[in-house]
Amino acid sequence: MYLFLFFVIIAIAIPVTPRASKSLLFSSEKKNLLLTTVPNPRIIFVGGSNLSFGLNSQIIKDSLGMNPINTSIHASLGLKYMMESTLKYVKESDIIILVPEYSQYHRSINSGSEELMRIIFDVDILNLMDLSIIQIFNIIPYLPKYGMSKFKITEYFNVKESDIYSVNSFNEFGDAVSHWSLPRQEFRPYPQINTKFNPDVIKCIIQFGNELQKKNAILLISYPGFQSTSYNNSHKQIYNVQNKLEESGLFVIGKADRYKIPDSLMFNTPYHLSKNGVDYRTILLIEDISKALKKIGL
């Protein structure tokens, strides 16, 4: 056991492998730079890959006259981390559009994952500061496998960068665009959500909104673009999410079924849209954002 732990510690100390360095998780460095340098007026999108694979920020910029920043990378990073890692970059008058996947409402707000662990130990150890103590404990089980991966030859040789899920898959706004010219891939719809709704998620979002308010920023909540078949499989659970959000006092824009996307407009998962799907969903979102901004008086 002690020898195993020794190798794990040594492996973690070894620099990121060539294979891991191509991961889309490394796009967080470019996205954080956008959060630091992009001037006002700014509109910041926070969520999982329903946003990174579901927005055309150029259309948003042209339509709203604002500078979009798509911070989204991967749902498995967890909603709490997404919000915490964005908060420190928020400036006065920023508009934040938060769009969690439906799974985020049905899991622990402090969940761990391999992706969350890797964005710390591969990308930037300072990202650890954005985790709660519980989250830190919840990523520990992923460390042994991660540590031992540093000794795999395949991590260093014959490394091929993914056509879709790469650090270089994103454009100047943070949108994933490398798949826009690719044909649709076959995939299975998601089955019915079978876990309980977690009210702590709403509480965490409200807390995020309160912190944004202190910075004189505005939080708007929307719904993910979701494959029609998968949506229908979980329509009762999704309707419950909508009800809980609308009862929360949060500023919610649109309705969940408005973002039920035809199967023909999906790319390779129930949350990843084809180029036509991206444009379709983006136009819907622009309409809802525009209505919200008029209510606010902006």
Side-chain angles (χ1 to χ4, degrees):
M1 173 63 76
Y2 290 111
L3 183 62
F4 175 73
L5 290 175
F6 172 77
F7 277 115
V8 169
I9 293 169
I10 293 297
I12 291 172
I14 296 173
V16 61
T17 68
R19 182 177 300 280
S21 70
K22 303 295 184 183
S23 164
L24 55 74
L25 295 178
F26 277 84
S27 68
S28 64
E29 296 178 320
K30 297 178 181 177
K31 291 171 185 260
N32 289 344
L33 184 60
L34 291 175
L35 286 166
T36 303
T37 60
V38 169
N40 289 336
R42 312 193 320 166
I43 184 165
I44 301 170
F45 295 89
V46 180
S49 60
N50 86 85
L51 283 175
S52 57
F53 281 78
L55 285 186
N56 185 335
S57 290
Q58 184 64 61
I59 299 178
I60 293 171
K61 182 175 183 177
D62 294 342
S63 300
L64 298 179
M66 306 181 74
N67 295 316
I69 305 171
N70 191 343
T71 69
S72 308
I73 301 174
H74 199 299
S76 291
L77 292 173
L79 182 59
K80 187 169 185 177
Y81 175 79
M82 296 174 199
M83 295 189 293
E84 288 295 328
S85 61
T86 303
L87 184 60
K88 57 180 173 280
Y89 295 106
V90 172
K91 302 177 182 179
E92 184 175 356
S93 77
D94 282 350
I95 307 294
I96 291 79
I97 311 295
L98 183 67
V99 189
E101 283 79 6
Y102 293 115
S103 60
Q104 302 288 0
Y105 296 101
H106 297 86
R107 60 185 292 194
S108 168
I109 198 69
N110 289 300
S111 292
S113 68
E114 181 177 354
E115 289 78 14
L116 184 59
M117 179 271 298
R118 281 185 175 270
I119 207 164
I120 295 163
F121 291 101
D122 275 347
V123 180
D124 190 345
I125 192 65
L126 293 179
N127 288 333
L128 189 66
M129 303 297 292
D130 295 320
L131 269 61
S132 68
I133 295 297
I134 300 175
Q135 283 175 299
I136 292 172
F137 276 107
N138 286 339
I139 65 171
I140 289 175
Y142 299 93
L143 287 174
K145 179 183 176 182
Y146 167 73
M148 299 310 294
S149 72
K150 297 287 186 73
F151 298 104
K152 290 184 177 180
I153 294 177
T154 54
E155 289 289 315
Y156 300 91
F157 299 101
N158 298 320
V159 174
K160 183 180 179 182
E161 189 169 340
S162 170
D163 294 334
I164 302 169
Y165 302 112
S166 162
V167 62
N168 296 310
S169 296
F170 301 85
N171 65 9
E172 68 270 27
F173 303 109
D175 305 332
V177 298
S178 62
H179 71 290
W180 282 5
S181 60
L182 299 178
R184 183 182 187 275
Q185 299 179 5
E186 292 300 319
F187 62 90
R188 291 184 178 181
Y190 288 160
Q192 179 180 333
I193 296 170
N194 58 10
T195 50
K196 291 184 178 180
F197 177 85
N198 182 4
D200 289 341
V201 176
I202 300 288
K203 293 176 184 177
C204 197
I205 295 174
I206 291 173
Q207 184 179 356
F208 179 56
N210 291 338
E211 293 300 316
L212 292 175
Q213 194 171 30
K214 293 177 185 178
K215 291 175 171 260
N216 292 319
I218 295 170
L219 175 64
L220 304 177
I221 315 295
S222 188
Y223 299 98
F226 197 32
Q227 179 204 24
S228 180
T229 299
S230 296
Y231 184 103
N232 291 337
N233 289 342
S234 295
H235 67 95
K236 291 182 180 179
Q237 291 79 6
I238 292 171
Y239 185 65
N240 183 54
V241 168
Q242 178 176 290
N243 282 341
K244 297 297 185 183
L245 284 172
E246 292 179 347
E247 292 169 359
S248 70
L250 291 162
F251 198 146
V252 182
I253 61 175
K255 297 286 185 180
D257 61 1
R258 177 166 162 81
Y259 293 93
K260 183 167 70 170
I261 309 298
D263 288 28
S264 61
L265 296 181
M266 307 309 298
F267 173 58
N268 69 344
T269 83
Y271 282 117
H272 294 179
L273 281 60
S274 67
K275 177 57 167 60
N276 288 338
V278 166
D279 291 346
Y280 172 76
R281 187 271 185 97
T282 298
I283 290 170
L284 293 178
L285 193 54
I286 288 170
E287 291 172 355
D288 287 340
I289 293 171
S290 296
K291 292 176 183 177
L293 295 181
K294 286 180 181 178
K295 283 186 179 181
I296 296 169
L298 297 179

